[in-house]
């Protein structure tokens, strides 16, 4: 069977993946992400955590470093190879589990187990069936456990279609919420599912979650205006701005990515 476009792309870029995201904007983005995650780290050090769509393991390694037994899962075998290389010599590696698997169906992952599940880097948008993926997150989450996941923001993608001047494409996107990864190789143009804050909330509620918040990340368009990062204490100041803006949930509509916080009753 031919490899699906998403796996093909992620296998190809696995070794360069960390370098692709090694710049001041992504350092700011990562600090913003971690500040949003830290309040929901389990208080019980024996709790188990799960990193879905782990890529090269950035967030799972932070969970592991924090002392939690952590399962790393990605559909790209090459990405999981990168995680395993990083775990070599890591004194906490015995508390790590690595799985090549698809978030829409995870028979290898036990039910009712994880106190915190992360799905960063928009695996909900990349996967073949976001509702099945959310259902699986609910299944593996323990009662009272949290899921924090990101997805591409549909409202932020309108400009792309408007600038192309293609009304047919805009109309189809509004109707379906689907587009594809913009890569030159057509064999790697996997489908993307995009969400509004409301549709992402409904996705998780249909799975049985209590949705605590949907926030934008980041609200300020720093990526398109990287000169903002050249100011004195820029990261600290921008993080404070983000914290202020995120107090109003409607600001999520302006961001490139959405981040949902949900709890299993």
């Amino acid at each position: 069977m031919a490899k699906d476009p998403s796996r093909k792309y992620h296998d190809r870029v696995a070794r360069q993946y960390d370098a692709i995201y090694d710049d001041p904007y992504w350092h700011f983005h990562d600090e913003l992400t971690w500040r949003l995650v830290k309040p929901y780290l389990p208080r019980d050090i024996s709790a188990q955590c799960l990193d879905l769509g782990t890529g090269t393991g950035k967030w799972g390694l932070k969970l592991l470093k924090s002392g939690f037994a952590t399962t790393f899962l990605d559909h790209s075998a090459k990405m999981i190879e990168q995680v395993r290389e990083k775990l070599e010599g890591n004194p906490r590696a015995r508390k790590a589990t690595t799985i090549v698997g698809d978030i829409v169906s995870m028979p290898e992952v036990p039910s009712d187990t994880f106190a915190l599940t992360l799905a960063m880097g928009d695996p909900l948008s990349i996967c073949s069936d976001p509702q099945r993926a959310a259902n699986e997150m609910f299944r593996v989450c323990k009662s009272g456990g949290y899921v924090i996941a990101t997805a591409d923001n549909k409202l932020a993608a309108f400009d792309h279609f408007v600038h192309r001047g293609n009304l047919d494409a805009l109309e189809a996107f509004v109707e379906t919420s689907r587009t594809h990864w913009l890569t030159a190789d057509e064999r790697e143009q996997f489908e993307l599912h995009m969400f509004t804050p409301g549709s992402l909330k409904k996705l998780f509620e249909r799975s049985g979650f209590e949705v605590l918040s949907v926030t934008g990340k980041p609200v300020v368009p720093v990526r398109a205006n990287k000169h903002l990062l050249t100011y004195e204490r820029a990261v600290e100041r921008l993080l404070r701005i983000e914290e202020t803006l995120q107090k109003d949930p409607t600001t999520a509509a302006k961001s490139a990515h959405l981040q949902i916080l949900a709890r299993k009753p």
Side-chain angles (χ1 to χ4, degrees), residues 148-199:
I148 304 175
T150 64
D152 287 309
N153 185 3
K154 178 179 178 178
L155 300 175
F158 286 148
D159 286 351
H160 167 73
F161 292 96
V162 172
H163 290 159
R164 287 171 61 190
N166 188 330
L167 183 57
D168 292 338
L170 174 62
E171 195 172 49
F173 173 66
V174 171
E175 178 68 25
T176 66
S177 301
R178 295 179 181 181
T179 183
H180 64 268
W181 182 249
L182 298 175
T183 182
D185 188 341
E186 291 185 1
R187 295 169 298 177
E188 296 181 351
Q189 290 182 353
F190 52 88
E191 189 172 74
L192 293 172
H193 300 256
M194 296 198 172
F195 299 87
T196 65
S199 67

Side-chain angles (χ1 to χ4, degrees), residues 11-205:
D11 278 352
R12 178 175 65 80
V13 302
R15 286 204 167 273
Q16 307 99 270
Y17 199 72
D18 288 346
I20 292 170
Y21 294 96
D22 185 13
D23 72 18
Y25 166 72
W26 288 108
H27 297 164
F28 156 72
H29 189 278
D30 288 350
E31 181 61 29
L32 174 61
T33 298
W34 189 237
R35 289 193 182 197
L36 292 171
V37 168
K38 280 180 71 175
Y40 301 97
L41 293 177
R43 295 183 180 181
D44 180 359
I45 201 65
S46 69
Q48 295 190 55
C49 295
L50 175 63
D51 185 18
L52 298 177
T54 186
T56 60
K58 177 188 292 180
W59 302 110
L61 288 167
K62 283 185 174 289
L63 295 172
L64 195 67
K65 185 178 180 180
S66 298
F68 304 107
T70 302
T71 297
F72 301 74
L73 182 143
D74 200 279
H75 72 329
S76 164
K78 296 293 186 181
M79 289 289 191
I80 291 296
E81 282 181 15
Q82 294 299 301
V83 176
R84 289 169 179 160
E85 286 184 16
K86 291 179 179 182
L87 289 170
E88 290 178 8
N90 186 321
R92 300 186 188 273
R94 60 183 178 77
K95 299 182 75 173
T97 302
T98 57
I99 298 172
V100 178
D102 192 329
I103 65 171
V104 305
S105 179
M106 303 183 289
E108 314 92 337
V109 181
S111 301
D112 304 310
T113 298
F114 299 96
L116 176 63
T117 295
L118 301 183
M120 316 308 286
D122 310 329
L124 277 170
S125 289
I126 294 169
C127 75
S128 61
D129 190 330
Q131 189 64 67
R132 285 182 64 194
N135 293 348
E136 279 288 83
M137 292 180 196
F138 186 86
R139 177 184 66 80
V140 303
C141 187
K142 68 185 299 185
S143 181
Y146 294 99
V147 171
I148 304 175
T150 64
D152 287 309
N153 185 3
K154 178 179 178 178
L155 300 175
F158 286 148
D159 286 351
H160 167 73
F161 292 96
V162 172
H163 290 159
R164 287 171 61 190
N166 188 330
L167 183 57
D168 292 338
L170 174 62
E171 195 172 49
F173 173 66
V174 171
E175 178 68 25
T176 66
S177 301
R178 295 179 181 181
T179 183
H180 64 268
W181 182 249
L182 298 175
T183 182
D185 188 341
E186 291 185 1
R187 295 169 298 177
E188 296 181 351
Q189 290 182 353
F190 52 88
E191 189 172 74
L192 293 172
H193 300 256
M194 296 198 172
F195 299 87
T196 65
S199 67
L200 185 60
K201 182 173 184 285
K202 288 179 181 177
L203 181 84
F204 275 75
E205 288 176 339

